[in-house]
Amino acid sequence: MKSQPIRFIPTFFKQGFQKAYFFLLDLLDLIKGKKDLIPPRTMNFVGDGDFVKTGEEFKNYFIKLAHLKPTDKILDVGSGIGRMAIPLTSYLSQDGEYKGFDIVSKGVKWCQNNITPKFNNFQFIHSNVYNKTYNPKGVILAKDFKFGFADAYFDFVFLTSVFTHMLPSDVENYLSEISRVLKPGGRCAITFFIVNDESEKLIQSGNSSLDFKFKMEEGCLTPYESFPEAAIAYQENFVLKLFEKYNLKIDSPIHYGHWCKRDQFLTYQDLIIAQKIVN
């Protein structure tokens, strides 16, 4: 029992120091009158990477790999606090349209108050979907949630670091909704942790940054048995079948990521680009 405080004190102080450091940086920005369209660091809940660089990185993927056009209608599933939306404001024309939804109300409110007044074709919506960590008071289960948009409305739908935290029934429902709201020929870009022969060997060798050793439902693995949604991976065959089921043809090759420490990669997570086809 005496060892438990020793084990947790470093993490506690690290988190406390980081919050204090971010607070001071935000305060300096306020004093300097900095007006960049970037949320305060203390509000950021979308990951540890560089906020600006990550947004610009994925904007380039959307344009070069998914052929995003300035006039497209875009849906951002899991819009967070605008990490992907902000760089798109310099690309999307007034003939284009961006809609994003997220379950974290503070992120949605920040985007509504700071992005929409400057770019009226960018709209943000709070979706009250239950999540143990991010929205514990949510009243809708992800497996039952319906996107509030008309059929075949969007040219492009994207999700970054969303399916990496969702269970199979939730993923399948969201993928069916993505297919429903996409126009025929429309495209989607979605990040995953995908387990195949290569990544499995790297996991077993101990090289991977995430050890997906706990098998859950069919095709689903996690490194954290007590809190699986913290990181979820899917067997590649499971993902391929699910995309095929909902008429989403995956562009080949899949752009595999660096999360398992492979030598050749595009970004950290695995990225799938797919196009809606009509049978």
Side-chain angles (χ1 to χ4, degrees):
M1 293 298 291
K2 290 182 180 180
S3 64
Q4 188 173 8
I6 296 172
R7 189 169 60 235
F8 287 103
I9 281 174
T11 300
F12 173 80
F13 277 107
K14 181 181 177 182
Q15 291 174 345
F17 176 80
Q18 186 180 60
K19 288 180 180 179
Y21 178 65
F22 286 165
F23 175 80
L24 289 173
L25 290 177
D26 289 339
L27 184 61
L28 285 172
D29 287 345
L30 185 64
I31 293 170
K32 292 177 181 178
K34 190 174 181 180
K35 296 182 179 180
D36 292 348
L37 194 60
I38 301 173
R41 298 168 184 83
T42 49
M43 287 188 67
N44 185 17
F45 57 89
V46 293
D48 296 330
D50 186 288
F51 187 91
V52 175
K53 288 182 180 179
T54 301
E56 288 292 335
E57 175 190 358
F58 274 86
K59 182 184 79 170
N60 290 331
Y61 297 154
F62 298 157
I63 296 168
K64 294 177 181 178
L65 301 178
H67 312 300
L68 178 68
K69 299 179 180 64
T71 55
D72 279 349
K73 292 181 178 180
I74 301 171
L75 176 61
D76 182 354
V77 179
S79 52
I81 197 162
R83 182 167 62 171
M84 301 297 157
I86 291 168
L88 289 171
T89 60
S90 64
Y91 181 76
L92 205 63
S93 72
Q94 274 297 317
D95 294 325
E97 184 179 324
Y98 168 103
K99 295 186 184 296
F101 68 81
D102 201 274
I103 66 174
V104 182
S105 60
K106 71 174 183 179
V108 173
K109 289 177 182 176
W110 188 90
C111 293
Q112 290 172 338
N113 292 334
N114 292 275
I115 300 176
T116 302
K118 296 180 177 68
F119 304 93
N120 58 15
N121 56 337
F122 279 67
Q123 302 293 324
F124 299 87
I125 303 161
H126 178 242
S127 298
N128 202 16
V129 176
Y130 170 80
N131 182 279
K132 185 177 180 181
T133 301
Y134 293 107
N135 194 26
K137 295 183 179 179
V139 297
I140 309 168
L141 296 178
K143 67 179 182 179
D144 300 322
F145 179 63
K146 302 302 177 187
F147 298 177
F149 307 104
D151 295 359
Y153 186 84
F154 293 100
D155 300 288
F156 181 57
V157 178
F158 68 88
L159 300 83
T160 56
S161 297
V162 175
F163 284 174
T164 52
H165 303 284
M166 293 177 68
L167 297 170
S169 59
D170 304 330
V171 169
E172 178 161 7
N173 177 54
Y174 270 46
L175 206 58
S176 71
E177 284 293 284
I178 290 165
S179 180
R180 179 183 66 79
V181 302
L182 267 177
K183 296 176 182 178
R187 291 182 173 272
C188 61
I190 306 173
T191 65
F192 285 86
F193 294 126
I194 295 175
V195 176
N196 55 22
D197 289 343
E198 181 186 20
S199 58
E200 191 165 17
K201 288 177 182 177
L202 290 167
I203 291 169
Q204 291 175 353
S205 70
N207 290 327
S208 176
S209 64
L210 291 164
D211 182 10
F212 290 104
K213 61 183 178 182
F214 296 109
K215 293 184 179 179
M216 301 173 62
E217 304 171 40
E218 180 185 0
C220 176
L221 305 97
T222 181
Y224 312 111
E225 192 171 23
S226 59
F227 184 32
E229 291 93 337
I232 291 180
Y234 285 94
Q235 295 284 352
E236 186 165 312
N237 286 338
F238 177 86
V239 174
L240 297 178
K241 289 177 182 177
L242 205 56
F243 272 74
E244 183 179 5
K245 180 178 179 179
Y246 292 105
N247 299 322
L248 296 168
K249 184 180 179 182
I250 295 175
D251 288 359
S252 183
I254 293 173
H255 304 281
Y256 296 113
H258 183 53
W259 62 270
C260 58
K261 298 296 189 292
R262 54 169 52 90
D263 293 329
Q264 297 183 0
F265 57 90
L266 179 68
T267 186
Y268 179 68
Q269 294 181 5
D270 305 311
L271 177 63
I272 289 180
I273 309 292
Q275 182 176 29
K276 182 180 177 180
I277 59 174
V278 180
N279 291 336

